[in-house]
Amino acid sequence: MGMARQVFRIVGKRIFQLVLTILILSFVTFLMMKLTPGDPVRTILKVEDMETSVADEEELREAYGFNDPLPIQYGQWLWKAAQGDLGASFITKRPVLDMLMSRLPATLGLTFGGLLVLFVIVLPLGIIGAVYKDRWPDTLSKWFALAGASIPSFWLGLLLIHWFSLELGLLPVMGTGTWAHFVLPSVTLGVAMAPMYIRLLRERLIQTMNSPYIEAAAARGVKRGRILIRHVLRGSLMSVVTLFGLSVGGLLGGVTVVEILFSWPGMGELIVQAVSQRDYPVVQGYILIIGVIVIVVNLLVDLLYTLLNPEIRYGKEEG
Amino acid sequence: MKCLIRNFMFLVLVLFLAACNGESESTSNEGTKEEASGGDKSLTMLFSFASDSLDPHQDAIGVRAGITETLLKIDENLEIQPWLAEDWKQVDETTWEFDIRDGVTFHDGSKVDGKAVKASFERVIKENDAMDAALKIDSIEADGQKVTFTTREPHPIFISELIHTHASVIKADEDQIAEKPIGTGPFTVADFTPGSEINLERYDDYWDGAAKLDEVTIRFNSDASVRALSLQSGEADIAYHLPPEGLDSIESNSELKVESVPSIRTHFFLYNQQNEKLKDQKVRKALDMLINRKVMVEEIMNNHATEAAGPFNPDFPFAGEEESVEYDPKQAEALLKEAGYERNEQGMMEKDGEPLSLKIATYVARPELPLMAQYFQAEAGKIGVDVEIMKIENIDSYLHEKQEAWDLVTYSNLTAPRGDGGYFLNVAYLPDGSLNPGQINISRINELTEQLNGTADPEQRTALQKEAVAIINEEVPHSFVMHPHIIVGVHDRVKNWTPGSEENYLITNEMDVE
């Protein structure tokens, strides 16, 4: 009963936060795009290869309403967005929602692949680091984390392509279609994200191993392996899950670099182009969707946290 | 606990060894697969700019991929040739008549007649603001295979504008134009993943003879290193826009070759005419002589560029016959002295107590441009001219919105994208032009351009453009440095195909694989 009420309260609060955050986020993005030099007019008129004049540019600027006061421009976007209309791209003329939604699955798929690699790397290295604290396996895990944190992901991606596609001929260089296409982008993403989590898991494990309830369990004669998995790991995973919630935005950002490198048809590839072309409707739509994803993931993490941690779950009622 | 970890590590080791074994097995599989695929006629091309839409009226990929075609095109000699229109004539100043080739069909089998062409052009001027401004079409009449265009004003380069990829003829009354446009080209769209990949299939009833290839895949990747690696791994047959450095591993591979063709692009320095010092023609001439074009072509471009002697690729008939300016620091110094500059105690060039110090803006989107700025900085320093380099993110907007902040800029343009130099003369020299942030305003060029804009006769146009080039080289509002080459990596198995200077018709019905 108390549990349901708590979940309900969290969800309600989060929906309010969601709306507020999206409002602020979209306004700040809009403002930043408008304040940096440039607008899409020159791209729309294709001045790079079409004969146009400054007068044509000015005419188009007027027609698109870029000369209107900023609050009016933002208000118009917001009014339509609230009705579910994200507008059309200035450059391709396609509906923004279609453009983004057709690319969302690829981005989510790659993010999921990256997470999978992340866990495969983080769990063993984090555990080894903690169990062999300050001995050579720990040092090894530390070096791996350091190397992973120092290598830029685009370079790591190039190295992986060189080894696995060119030298060994095992995996495709780029594109999508088969499971093999997932491997290199996921590994690049996973390795780039892993270091922080390896160190975090190690610290948490060491902390938990030294806590009284683990010592008590050991004193009761529970086997060490069982302690490690049943108690220590479970206790420590929570902080990792929390951190994941906080860094999901960063993960979606990291996906962008990987997407460009591997011709991955996700949203990141689209958005880099949209930002440089000042394709406002596309950028605003992207911010909206990413904002919703980040907030929803954080909401789920909070709920998961409540489930995992009995202290929080019963804290209010029993305290 | 130690026992557990030891077991775990052993397990990891076993898995790793198993993985290694798996690798060597699949390597041999790969070998046989490649042999087997030698029999089917498919080709993969890598291109650098991603397309988010296949709509030929918004994106160049329609023509590039062999899906759609234009009424006219420029051939390998950069001359305008009939294509879907087999003949045309100018009736009066604003009226143009075209005969559409008989026997051309759209991918759905329907005939391409005057009515279909009319519908296609009505769509493009409605959907694309730039094309509306460029074509200036007032009305279109269709009668059988004849189409008559009336322009809003006299428009002598109407013919040249029709070469633009966006002037593609498509079946206009379709819903899926952004995903599966219906054109007249040798290939139809089988599948399209925006930003990533297009899969094409042969169109058997293509009017110029069905393609030799069954299937073509075009992949987009903006990373040049990845494109090169993909070519080397055998995954791609043609890789466009490879970087001039690091071609060694491709050149040394006996199965691959590097094609290098002069582009219709020009890299140049643009002088800001609002800067008092740069208003002096002698100063601009002196700076022009400090550009070591030969060394830049050799060292920055690894010889994958042609020295520029004017705004246009020398293969164009209107480019003029002048030689490029020789690097001559002594003469440059003498010219500066003529302009009133003297060396001060620090060895810097100075006039009226003010040193000659210039800010040059550059950007990294074309990596050779910052290098050009650095070479120039070093040469200028030798004769006491101080040059400060500024790397700018959004260069186009910066140049227009912060005109007081820069003195020179390294820049790059397609100077005659549709086989006519009128484009560059209009946009880069007229005070109202969209590529004139340095506010160039030379009355002799303005007059010539106005005259050009009222001249339709090709020979007269060529003569007028040559005259303009001569004045440009005298006045030096720009310093033209080089025409970079289009560098394309090609696998041996590709036959009947070489890249051209114009990058429109990339996929052809003639190209083949072994």
Side-chain angles (χ1 to χ4, degrees):
Chain A
M1 196 53 195
M3 175 87 181
R5 205 192 311 153
Q6 193 155 10
V7 169
F8 183 72
R9 208 183 47 147
I10 291 178
V11 172
K13 207 169 117 191
R14 279 314 170 99
I15 288 176
F16 175 71
Q17 280 178 353
L18 182 108
V19 174
L20 195 70
T21 315
I22 294 289
L23 267 178
I24 295 171
L25 201 64
S26 71
F27 182 68
V28 171
T29 324
F30 190 79
L31 209 62
M32 283 199 325
M33 269 195 307
K34 288 288 179 181
L35 292 182
T36 46
D39 62 27
V41 164
R42 292 173 65 83
T43 316
I44 296 169
L45 281 178
K46 299 174 201 284
V47 293
E48 267 285 302
D49 71 339
M50 308 275 282
E51 193 178 312
T52 52
S53 67
V54 176
D56 293 330
E57 286 173 34
E58 205 39 54
E59 200 178 297
L60 200 64
R61 222 162 256 142
E62 196 58 46
Y64 275 90
F66 295 154
N67 291 337
D68 296 347
L70 283 189
I72 289 184
Q73 292 187 44
Y74 178 71
Q76 278 169 345
W77 176 81
L78 191 65
W79 175 242
K80 281 194 168 165
Q83 295 166 320
D85 176 10
L86 292 181
S89 155
F90 290 145
I91 313 298
T92 65
K93 314 281 176 188
R94 291 179 59 206
V96 169
L97 199 63
D98 285 5
M99 284 173 83
L100 290 171
M101 280 306 159
S102 71
R103 283 161 179 263
L104 186 62
T107 294
L108 291 183
L110 181 55
T111 311
F112 186 75
L115 276 178
L116 207 68
V117 173
L118 185 79
F119 279 111
V120 169
I121 296 173
V122 167
L123 280 183
L125 286 181
I127 294 172
I128 287 170
V131 173
Y132 292 94
K133 182 169 173 284
D134 297 331
R135 287 160 61 191
W136 69 264
D138 181 29
T139 316
L140 210 67
S141 134
K142 207 183 287 177
W143 277 105
F144 179 85
L146 190 66
S150 336
I151 295 178
S153 52
F154 72 90
W155 192 59
L156 176 69
L158 280 178
L159 283 181
L160 290 173
I161 292 173
H162 187 88
W163 290 330
F164 291 96
S165 307
L166 187 58
E167 300 290 337
L168 298 171
L170 281 175
L171 294 164
V173 176
M174 59 168 105
T176 50
T178 66
W179 283 105
H181 286 96
F182 261 96
V183 179
L184 289 185
S186 303
V187 170
T188 310
L189 190 62
V191 172
M193 294 295 293
M196 181 172 63
Y197 293 99
I198 295 174
R199 300 313 287 169
L200 184 87
L201 181 62
R202 175 184 173 275
E203 298 315 318
R204 290 295 306 198
L205 284 174
I206 291 170
Q207 223 173 22
T208 320
M209 277 193 291
N210 293 334
S211 57
Y213 78 96
I214 300 297
E215 275 169 29
R220 283 203 308 273
V222 183
K223 282 202 173 137
R224 299 195 70 176
R226 195 179 156 82
I227 294 180
L228 185 73
I229 290 167
R230 284 288 304 262
H231 302 282
V232 181
L233 209 53
R234 188 173 164 187
S236 313
L237 272 182
M238 247 170 348
S239 61
V240 178
V241 166
T242 313
L243 185 70
F244 166 69
L246 291 174
S247 62
V248 66
L251 190 68
L252 286 166
V255 169
T256 301
V257 177
V258 179
E259 282 180 355
I260 289 174
L261 202 62
F262 291 94
S263 298
W264 198 260
M267 292 195 293
E269 197 271 336
L270 177 73
I271 208 63
V272 169
Q273 214 172 336
V275 167
S276 72
Q277 295 175 332
R278 300 281 185 273
D279 198 346
Y280 306 136
V282 177
V283 178
Q284 289 290 93
Y286 173 79
I287 293 292
L288 198 69
I289 287 174
I290 292 293
V292 171
I293 292 176
V294 170
I295 292 165
V296 167
V297 167
N298 272 289
L299 174 64
L300 292 178
V301 164
D302 276 11
L303 293 177
L304 198 65
Y305 203 71
T306 329
L307 291 178
L308 279 176
N309 191 340
E311 265 172 54
I312 290 185
R313 196 194 313 164
Y314 302 117
K316 277 277 154 65
E317 278 100 357
E318 291 175 10
Chain B
M1 163 108 71
K2 264 182 206 163
C3 182
L4 178 90
I5 297 300
R6 212 167 285 155
N7 283 340
F8 179 78
M9 288 183 75
F10 179 70
L11 190 71
V12 170
L13 190 72
V14 169
L15 280 175
F16 181 72
L17 287 175
C20 287
N21 267 337
E23 278 167 14
S24 52
E25 265 171 41
S26 44
T27 311
S28 53
N29 284 344
E30 190 72 16
T32 50
K33 202 179 91 195
E34 227 167 75
E35 278 162 35
S37 70
D40 76 337
K41 297 266 188 181
S42 73
L43 176 141
T44 301
M45 175 184 276
L46 301 178
F47 205 69
S48 42
F49 311 114
S51 295
D52 291 314
S53 162
L54 288 187
D55 184 343
H57 293 164
Q58 307 291 352
D59 198 290
I61 197 69
V63 171
R64 285 186 175 143
I67 305 163
T68 58
E69 296 172 298
T70 45
L71 291 182
L72 314 169
K73 70 172 187 175
I74 45 177
D75 63 9
E76 59 276 15
N77 302 319
L78 300 177
E79 276 162 24
I80 297 178
Q81 297 293 346
W83 198 238
L84 287 183
E86 56 186 351
D87 202 9
W88 70 89
K89 67 168 185 260
Q90 185 176 16
V91 180
D92 59 49
E93 273 196 324
T94 56
T95 314
W96 302 79
E97 217 176 81
F98 292 83
D99 294 323
I100 307 302
R101 195 180 290 277
D102 229 340
V104 178
T105 53
F106 286 116
H107 295 150
D108 65 354
S110 60
K111 185 175 167 60
V112 178
D113 54 13
K115 232 172 95 194
V117 172
K118 175 178 184 266
S120 178
F121 274 90
E122 278 169 351
R123 180 178 184 271
V124 69
I125 57 177
K126 182 168 156 269
E127 302 274 323
N128 189 319
D129 300 314
M131 283 309 281
D132 183 40
L135 291 170
K136 307 188 204 301
I137 291 175
D138 183 48
S139 63
I140 311 171
E141 303 280 330
D143 176 22
Q145 291 302 104
K146 254 191 184 21
V147 188
T148 312
F149 294 91
T150 311
T151 55
R152 297 192 282 261
E153 53 192 81
H155 192 18
I157 54 164
F158 181 67
I159 291 295
S160 158
E161 298 297 342
L162 289 178
I163 288 164
H164 200 286
T165 57
H166 295 340
S168 283
V169 175
I170 61 166
K171 192 135 199 215
D173 52 347
E174 291 287 328
D175 315 324
Q176 284 197 305
I177 293 176
E179 297 86 29
K180 202 178 182 346
I182 296 185
T184 58
F187 288 91
T188 65
V189 183
D191 193 31
F192 171 51
T193 314
S196 178
E197 192 173 304
I198 311 176
N199 294 300
L200 302 160
E201 277 168 0
R202 176 175 54 210
Y203 172 49
D204 290 322
D205 295 326
Y206 179 57
W207 62 272
D208 194 32
K212 298 204 166 76
L213 295 169
D214 300 297
E215 284 166 9
V216 172
T217 301
I218 298 179
R219 288 211 177 96
F220 311 116
N221 195 308
S222 55
D223 192 298
S225 315
V226 177
R227 290 198 298 276
L229 285 170
S230 186
L231 178 75
Q232 286 168 270
S233 76
E235 219 173 282
D237 304 295
I238 298 172
Y240 254 89
H241 304 147
L242 298 178
E245 71 280 355
L247 290 173
D248 297 354
S249 50
I250 293 178
E251 275 163 344
S252 64
N253 186 328
S254 60
E255 287 186 325
L256 305 175
K257 61 177 183 259
V258 173
E259 300 266 12
S260 178
V261 287
S263 67
I264 51 179
R265 179 173 285 285
T266 310
H267 289 344
F268 55 84
F269 291 88
L270 163 64
Y271 300 105
N272 192 339
Q273 301 287 330
Q274 280 145 291
N275 180 316
E276 285 303 321
K277 294 165 196 161
L278 292 176
K279 275 187 179 154
D280 189 338
Q281 182 237 23
K282 284 192 176 121
V283 174
R284 298 197 300 269
K285 257 198 159 133
L287 296 176
D288 192 49
M289 284 176 177
L290 291 176
I291 298 168
N292 198 335
R293 294 173 173 79
K294 193 162 175 282
V295 165
M296 284 189 189
V297 164
E298 268 171 28
E299 292 184 7
I300 300 178
M301 305 300 286
N302 275 332
N303 284 321
H304 289 290
T306 308
E307 285 176 53
F312 306 117
N313 180 317
D315 289 344
F316 283 120
F318 50 81
E321 280 102 39
E322 276 152 90
E323 296 285 310
S324 62
V325 175
E326 285 287 321
Y327 166 68
D328 192 344
K330 277 208 187 93
Q331 185 62 29
E333 197 171 347
L335 266 174
L336 283 181
K337 284 186 174 150
E338 258 179 60
Y341 287 87
E342 284 298 333
R343 294 245 191 187
N344 64 13
E345 287 134 37
Q346 287 87 43
M348 302 307 285
M349 280 291 180
E350 193 181 271
K351 185 182 177 181
D352 307 330
E354 235 189 283
L356 183 54
S357 105
L358 300 165
K359 287 195 188 120
I360 184 166
T362 186
Y363 56 101
V364 293
R366 298 187 181 275
E368 56 270 26
L369 295 183
L371 292 175
M372 270 165 47
Q374 280 175 24
Y375 274 67
F376 177 71
Q377 182 187 41
E379 295 297 347
K382 281 185 200 162
I383 67 159
V385 177
D386 177 49
V387 172
E388 184 195 331
I389 298 178
M390 309 182 291
K391 280 196 181 153
I392 306 298
E393 197 67 39
N394 196 341
I395 190 77
D396 249 341
S397 317
Y398 178 85
L399 295 181
H400 283 89
E401 289 171 24
K402 299 226 182 318
Q403 296 193 352
E404 68 298 333
W406 56 276
D407 304 315
L408 278 86
V409 58
T410 62
Y411 210 71
S412 178
N413 273 135
L414 296 168
T415 48
R418 286 170 298 286
D420 193 287
Y423 158 74
F424 194 66
L425 294 176
N426 272 286
V427 295
Y429 294 96
L430 289 190
D432 187 34
S434 56
L435 291 175
N436 188 4
Q439 308 225 335
I440 298 168
N441 190 356
I442 302 165
S443 54
R444 283 193 294 164
I445 298 183
N446 297 349
E447 283 158 23
L448 270 175
T449 306
E450 291 303 336
Q451 201 184 336
L452 185 71
N453 290 347
T455 306
D457 178 64
E459 271 170 42
Q460 274 181 329
R461 288 188 66 84
T462 301
L464 285 170
Q465 290 177 55
K466 275 184 172 173
E467 211 177 311
V469 170
I471 298 172
I472 289 168
N473 284 351
E474 201 184 302
E475 291 278 346
V476 206
H478 296 103
S479 281
F480 300 100
V481 179
M482 60 173 96
H483 308 288
H485 287 190
I486 301 166
I487 307 173
V488 186
V490 187
H491 196 281
D492 247 0
R493 66 191 212 100
V494 179
K495 301 292 165 199
N496 298 336
W497 188 86
T498 48
S501 293
E502 59 95 31
E503 291 177 85
N504 286 350
Y505 287 82
L506 303 183
I507 301 288
T508 67
N509 57 335
E510 296 290 324
M511 67 199 302
D512 202 357
V513 291
E514 253 178 11

